[in-house]
Amino acid sequence: MPHLRQPIEQWRNRLRHIEDLGYHSVAIADHLGDGWSMDPMTMMTIAAEATTTLRVSTSVLCNDFYHPFFLHRSISNLDVISEGRVTLGLGAGWRPLDYTVSGVRFDPAPVRVDRLAESIAVLKGLFAGERFTFEGEHFRVGDALGAPKPVQWPHPPIMVGGGGRRMLQLGGREADIVGINPPRLTEHSDPAKMAREISAEGLREKAEIVRAAATERPDPGAILLQANLLDVRVQGSGGSESRSTSGLVDWLGQEAVEKSPLVLDGDVERCIDALLELRETVGITEIHLGNDADGVAEIVSRLA
């Protein structure tokens, strides 16, 4: 989603331009501190009102900041307002600064993942539109009737984003889209381990974890896999150049980044071939292309 560093009407026009370029959706992250200013629910609502086909997505909400009862109400309303163009991305939370500035306790990872699992259970129960009661370790809902009924049935697509085994397994059991991204990276992360995480082999292993966890679902083949590109360097046919780099690259090491299929580097034809190979070899079909919508528009136009 474009940054809110311009008059609001220009911001709306920018979203319409992204829609006209053929993009499938815009995604908004959920962080606090460091001057982060965009509230996901507010901005998704405005974006949905400004466009007609563009989907709006959270990529991803920090589950610890939202009680699922109230999150359900917001997402159901937005799904109705947008006429079924919402994707709800949820993560267990990973960025210590988000917790420090908000005063929310940063529990150990197993606790956060368990809380996310309960949240998804509550959301699905409320989206069903019938009387629902839930008694969990982290959440309790008493005889609640989920309303309004969302346009997308049985619920808006749920994306679980994470890199660890427990998160991938949870996504395989419960999500419609699973983000197979690196786990939390810091300056203290093991470079060799991180290089494997973002390698083709590492991504295939993550995809297999998701698929193995999905075997008992009625529709295991319906799960979509998602990934965020780490570095995008595209040379357009008219001589233009585009560069969009994730902050994670700073901790990965140049050699690991250059060997990863999560890097696009080259002309449009080469980049298209790389994305098609990522789809064929790993099964990733939902791809976050960075923040330069115009720079990769030629790729989007060809693949859309």
Side-chain angles (χ1 to χ4, degrees):
M1 191 167 301
H3 289 295
L4 192 60
R5 296 172 181 161
Q6 51 201 324
I8 188 62
E9 192 52 36
Q10 290 184 24
W11 187 83
R12 290 189 178 97
N13 288 337
R14 181 65 184 163
L15 285 163
R16 297 181 187 114
H17 176 64
I18 291 171
E19 181 176 58
D20 291 341
L21 291 174
Y23 282 87
H24 173 264
S25 58
V26 286
I28 185 167
D30 185 27
H31 293 303
L32 304 172
D34 289 342
W36 195 270
S37 61
M38 292 168 61
D39 172 70
M41 298 304 167
T42 302
M43 306 317 290
M44 284 198 302
T45 302
I46 299 173
E49 283 288 275
T51 56
T52 56
T53 61
L54 194 67
R55 293 187 64 84
V56 292
S57 169
T58 55
S59 183
V60 291
L61 293 182
C62 177
N63 181 66
D64 286 344
F65 299 158
Y66 303 88
H67 190 290
F69 183 89
F70 301 102
L71 181 58
H72 160 266
R73 182 175 62 176
S74 296
I75 295 298
S76 286
N77 274 264
L78 182 52
D79 202 51
V80 171
I81 290 169
S82 68
E83 299 181 301
R85 290 187 282 136
V86 180
T87 296
L88 173 59
L90 283 170
W94 64 272
R95 187 171 180 256
L97 179 62
D98 294 336
Y99 289 81
T100 300
V101 299
S102 64
V104 176
R105 188 174 64 197
F106 189 49
D107 287 323
V111 176
R112 287 180 278 121
V113 175
D114 287 345
R115 188 155 48 230
L116 175 59
E118 284 195 11
S119 184
I120 293 173
V122 172
L123 286 161
K124 287 185 174 181
L126 292 170
F127 280 130
E130 299 178 355
R131 291 286 176 184
F132 177 71
T133 296
F134 183 86
E135 289 283 339
E137 182 178 351
H138 303 283
F139 299 111
R140 292 169 178 79
V141 175
D143 194 30
L145 181 62
K149 180 179 177 180
V151 173
Q152 299 177 95
W153 193 253
H155 52 74
I158 295 173
M159 181 176 77
V160 168
R165 176 175 290 271
R166 292 191 64 190
M167 284 292 291
L168 295 170
Q169 290 173 331
L170 174 61
R173 293 193 305 269
E174 301 292 343
D176 303 287
I177 307 167
V178 181
I180 54 172
N181 295 295
R184 182 165 71 92
L185 299 173
T186 72
E187 63 271 24
H188 306 297
S189 299
D190 179 357
K193 182 177 184 295
M194 292 303 102
R196 180 173 176 78
E197 290 274 355
I198 63 172
S199 68
E201 184 177 356
L203 294 174
R204 284 194 294 269
E205 288 178 356
K206 289 176 183 290
E208 286 306 313
I209 292 172
V210 173
R211 294 183 181 115
T215 53
E216 296 186 8
R217 293 174 55 151
D219 58 344
I223 296 178
L224 300 177
L225 299 181
Q226 181 268 354
N228 299 331
L229 295 185
L230 297 172
D231 198 17
V232 179
R233 302 186 292 268
V234 180
Q235 288 83 51
S237 57
S240 62
E241 293 187 4
S242 170
R243 180 74 186 264
S244 178
T245 303
S246 166
L248 299 178
V249 169
D250 295 338
W251 295 319
L252 285 168
Q254 193 61 35
E255 183 178 357
V257 169
E258 302 226 346
K259 291 182 178 179
S260 173
L262 297 182
V263 171
L264 281 189
D265 184 11
D267 60 22
V268 171
E269 291 295 337
R270 181 177 178 180
C271 291
I272 286 175
D273 288 343
L275 292 174
L276 292 176
E277 183 177 0
L278 189 60
R279 182 183 70 181
E280 294 302 319
T281 60
V282 184
I284 294 172
T285 58
E286 301 269 325
I287 300 170
H288 189 294
L289 288 166
N291 57 18
D292 184 0
D294 290 297
V296 292
E298 194 171 350
I299 295 172
V300 172
S301 175
R302 292 274 299 278
L303 293 179

